[in-house]
Amino acid sequence: MEGLVHSRFNPVHATRIHYHSRLIPAFSILFSKNFTKTPVLFMKGHRSFNSVVTSVQPLEASGLGHFDNTLPSKDILQLWRSADAVCFDVDSTVCLDEGIDELAEFCGAGKAVAEWTARAMGGSVPFEEALAARLSLFKPSLLQVQEFLETRPPKISPGINELVKNLKAKNTNVYLISGGFRQMINPVASILGIPPENIFANQLLFGSSGEFVGFDVNEPTSRSGGKATAVQKIRKVSPIAFHLMLFSDNTCKADYLVNQVHGYKALVMIGDGATDLEARKPGGADLFICYAGVQLREAVAVGADWLVFNFADLINSLE
């Protein structure tokens, strides 16, 4: 185990062009300076997935120790109700499991990878180190990832679908920010009705034969502090303004938008891990809500503005 920890592979820097396959809806081929004449594939599309209806119930606050932040103050409630953007972590928050642990278990390396995940989410090891070490333990192939997605639909946390619907009804934009992989998060976003442009996550990379070659380090969520960076990017320019700038044929209009649009006035981050807590930095989230309905990480719970064990609390507090 110790030897494997230090035998890391090099993450990949890549650019993209499109490639299509009959087996998988869409890919992109990526070429890297680190791999001479070796095409690198990543999955872009996904099939329709139905979420698993699970009987797992959220953890309850009773018996788990004393926390003084389970009842929100008036100011925190006001921030929550006035938020025009809410960002969710995915693993152990939107979903009931840790995606990389599930994929590793599917590939036969579940226990070793789960131990690293616990360390990464607790903040005891830099995220990028833990991500590289975990992937090096099982190196999932493209075929394994596709088989995993086809046989194991997302396990959605109780209440998250209703919460997202209620937020949308209030014209609140919803984002998914995850240290997990887009290949596994796209189906979750589809179930919740969250557009692809509102996803910040990592990307697995594969060689021309479908072999695992690394992950895209250009994604901000591939390193420690990445979720804070993602939130800061979201705050700077809202999606509508971004697309207006992107497709505007009027240079003056685009420049005006860049200078005048400052994004969201109130942004909330919801998650269970240390990387989620990091998002509450200057220029980042105004409010961090720790969701402990799946995993209670005490250091994160103590540092949160508001600790909840059930999404129903957030739904009821919107009214």
Side-chain angles (χ1 to χ4, degrees):
M1 177 68 182
E2 192 65 28
L4 289 172
V5 169
H6 298 289
S7 57
R8 306 174 196 161
F9 54 82
N10 291 324
V12 179
H13 297 268
T15 54
R16 306 174 182 178
I17 63 175
H18 292 288
Y19 170 79
H20 296 280
S21 165
R22 290 181 298 172
L23 297 177
I24 299 176
F27 293 95
S28 292
I29 296 180
L30 297 85
F31 295 92
S32 168
K33 295 179 181 179
N34 295 332
F35 296 88
T36 306
K37 297 183 179 179
T38 301
V40 182
L41 305 176
F42 77 95
M43 296 168 56
K44 184 179 179 183
H46 62 275
R47 300 180 184 179
S48 297
F49 291 86
N50 293 319
S51 61
V52 170
V53 178
T54 176
S55 61
V56 176
Q57 296 299 316
L59 296 173
E60 297 296 336
S62 60
L64 293 175
H66 173 73
F67 297 94
D68 60 6
N69 54 354
T70 56
L71 295 177
S73 67
K74 185 176 181 180
D75 289 341
I76 288 174
L77 273 179
Q78 179 59 33
L79 261 176
W80 170 236
R81 291 168 178 166
S82 63
D84 44 9
V86 175
C87 303
F88 288 93
D89 170 47
V90 177
D91 296 331
S92 295
T93 300
V94 169
C95 293
L96 287 166
D97 49 30
E98 293 285 333
I100 191 171
D101 293 356
E102 294 295 302
L103 179 59
E105 189 273 330
F106 182 82
C107 297
K111 183 178 180 180
V113 171
E115 291 173 355
W116 268 98
T117 297
R119 294 175 64 187
M121 293 303 98
S124 62
V125 62
F127 183 80
E128 58 271 28
E129 179 181 337
L131 181 60
R134 285 180 289 176
L135 288 171
S136 71
L137 289 171
F138 67 107
K139 299 180 180 179
S141 69
L142 182 60
L143 180 60
Q144 285 176 314
V145 173
Q146 180 63 12
E147 289 177 347
F148 173 83
L149 292 174
E150 290 178 345
T151 58
R152 299 196 182 186
K155 299 174 184 177
I156 303 298
S157 292
I160 186 61
N161 213 330
E162 183 182 355
L163 176 56
V164 170
K165 287 179 180 178
N166 286 9
L167 288 170
K168 288 182 177 181
K170 291 169 56 68
N171 295 319
T172 302
N173 285 312
V174 178
Y175 293 84
L176 298 179
I177 304 180
S178 176
F181 307 111
R182 289 180 183 271
Q183 287 92 339
M184 300 163 70
I185 292 171
N186 284 338
V188 176
S190 179
I191 291 166
L192 297 176
I194 297 172
E197 61 268 24
N198 283 22
I199 301 173
F200 287 77
N202 292 314
Q203 190 75 264
L204 291 171
L205 303 177
F206 305 96
S208 58
S209 299
E211 75 276 14
F212 172 76
V213 296
F215 61 92
D216 188 353
V217 297
N218 294 315
E219 298 287 358
T221 53
S222 68
R223 52 192 176 271
S224 293
K227 289 187 179 180
T229 300
V231 168
Q232 289 166 351
K233 287 178 179 290
I234 291 169
R235 291 213 72 144
K236 287 179 180 177
V237 182
S238 67
I240 294 175
F242 175 78
H243 283 89
L244 284 172
M245 290 185 286
L246 188 63
F247 297 109
S248 175
D249 56 0
N250 185 316
T251 303
C252 292
K253 179 181 178 183
D255 289 342
Y256 175 81
L257 286 167
V258 169
N259 292 325
Q260 297 298 320
V261 178
H262 300 290
Y264 301 112
K265 294 180 180 179
L267 186 148
V268 176
M269 180 73 201
I270 300 175
D272 71 295
T275 56
D276 305 310
L277 179 59
E278 286 179 342
R280 192 192 55 195
K281 287 185 175 180
D286 300 292
L287 177 69
F288 171 63
I289 299 174
C290 176
Y291 175 71
V294 178
Q295 293 284 343
L296 175 63
R297 310 185 199 278
E298 187 166 354
V300 180
V302 169
D305 299 300
W306 185 7
L307 172 62
V308 300
F309 293 85
N310 196 309
F311 283 126
D313 293 339
L314 298 181
I315 295 170
N316 295 333
S317 297
L318 283 174
E319 302 173 357

